[in-house]
Amino acid sequence: MSTLTKLQTQKTAFYVLITYVIFQVSGFILVIPPIREFFLQFIHEDGINSGIALAAWWSSMTAGIAFIVCLILINRNKNFWNVFNGEKASIPVSIGWGIIGFFLVYFGQIIGAYIEAALGIKAGSENTETIMLVTEVAPIMMLATVFFGPILEEFVFRRVVFGSLIQTQSFWVAGLISSIIFAAIHLDFTHIILYTISGFVFAFLYYKTKRILTSIIAHMLLNGVLTILTLNIDKLQQISDQLTK
């Protein structure tokens, strides 16, 4: 890869990162009363639920816009995905590893939960609970948490961060650093071990197949399954109680 091509690719990576950062902080604009009131008139919810629904719609819409912008930026640079040497895994193999990756991440989180318990950290993530509360009020939030969010995070933390580090560092160093950054951005430092383990598995999947598709599939499956299980926890508990009677 020529120096000019490297500079163009680094520029694309930087623009993708900036797009993600803007998406992440865009919600602060809703703190401004006139802007908040303007958007609330389009929300058909009452009381506190109106603010929750607005947050859900804002997150989903801005995530969708960020996704489209990233696709446009990446589409303009055909070398953006040329991170690793060697042949990429086929699409079917990549999909297969994505499904396997979901179970790897889930198993990793079980191990992480045991480690946290041994350290005296209580189970349950406030970050996840907040997202689930928002999703219950406004299911549109699932677009952000299950679809756009995982894709954007894989673009940024696996391709931009991990993909840049792997050029000069070993897999273990690049994987660990990118995973810690991935964990930190979720602002749930109590459970940083769980997020770091997940990020490391996602990095491994990307490195293994050389296709971002693999980590995206695993990430989307993880978020999707956790969302479904959490939203239906009461129903699942009732079924469990009936089966044990």
Side-chain angles (χ1 to χ4, degrees):
M1 187 182 294
S2 67
T3 302
L4 179 59
T5 301
K6 284 184 178 180
L7 288 174
Q8 291 175 336
T9 301
Q10 289 172 355
K11 184 184 294 186
T12 300
F14 176 73
Y15 288 152
V16 168
L17 177 61
I18 290 299
T19 300
Y20 178 77
V21 171
I22 293 173
F23 151 64
Q24 285 288 78
V25 302
S26 66
F28 286 108
I29 196 174
L30 297 178
V31 176
I32 303 173
I35 295 178
R36 181 180 177 82
E37 291 302 318
F38 172 78
F39 285 109
L40 278 175
Q41 67 181 317
F42 301 105
I43 301 298
H44 303 292
E45 295 285 348
D46 298 320
I48 191 173
N49 284 351
S50 62
I52 295 174
L54 175 59
W57 277 96
W58 184 269
S59 295
S60 298
M61 298 303 292
T62 53
I65 293 171
F67 170 69
I68 292 171
V69 171
C70 285
L71 285 184
I72 293 173
L73 291 170
I74 293 169
N75 220 28
R76 295 169 59 185
N77 188 340
K78 296 181 180 179
N79 293 298
F80 185 73
W81 298 116
N82 295 335
V83 177
F84 309 104
N85 295 321
E87 187 176 353
K88 297 179 181 179
S90 65
I91 297 297
V93 169
S94 299
I95 293 173
W97 268 105
I99 297 172
I100 293 171
F102 159 70
F103 292 101
L104 291 176
V105 176
Y106 192 75
F107 180 69
Q109 291 210 338
I110 292 175
I111 295 175
Y114 278 114
I115 295 174
E116 288 188 348
L119 295 173
I121 300 173
K122 293 182 180 180
S125 167
E126 290 186 7
N127 182 49
T128 301
E129 289 176 2
T130 300
I131 292 174
M132 291 303 105
L133 172 62
V134 173
T135 306
E136 284 182 325
V137 174
I140 188 68
M141 185 66 182
M142 285 190 285
L143 274 179
T145 56
V146 180
F147 186 71
F148 293 127
I151 295 176
L152 288 171
E153 289 183 353
E154 292 309 305
F155 283 177
V156 173
F157 298 105
R158 253 52 72 184
R159 169 53 190 91
V160 175
V161 181
F162 174 76
S164 297
L165 289 170
I166 199 68
Q167 305 299 316
T168 57
Q169 305 295 327
S170 69
F171 163 76
W172 293 98
V173 172
L176 184 60
I177 293 175
S178 63
S179 299
I180 292 174
I181 296 173
F182 169 72
I185 202 69
H186 286 84
L187 302 177
D188 190 359
F189 297 104
T190 303
H191 300 286
I192 196 168
I193 293 175
L194 294 181
Y195 286 105
T196 300
I197 290 174
S198 298
F200 195 84
V201 174
F202 293 143
F204 164 75
L205 294 171
Y206 181 35
Y207 184 76
K208 173 70 177 179
T209 62
K210 301 180 178 62
R211 287 188 185 274
I212 201 71
L213 172 66
T214 307
S215 57
I216 286 176
I217 290 174
H219 200 156
M220 289 176 69
L221 283 174
L222 178 68
N223 286 19
V225 170
L226 289 178
T227 298
I228 293 172
L229 290 178
T230 304
L231 292 178
N232 294 279
I233 189 67
D234 293 335
K235 293 180 181 178
L236 293 173
Q237 186 61 52
Q238 290 176 359
I239 294 173
S240 177
D241 293 341
Q242 291 175 356
L243 292 175
T244 55
K245 285 182 180 179

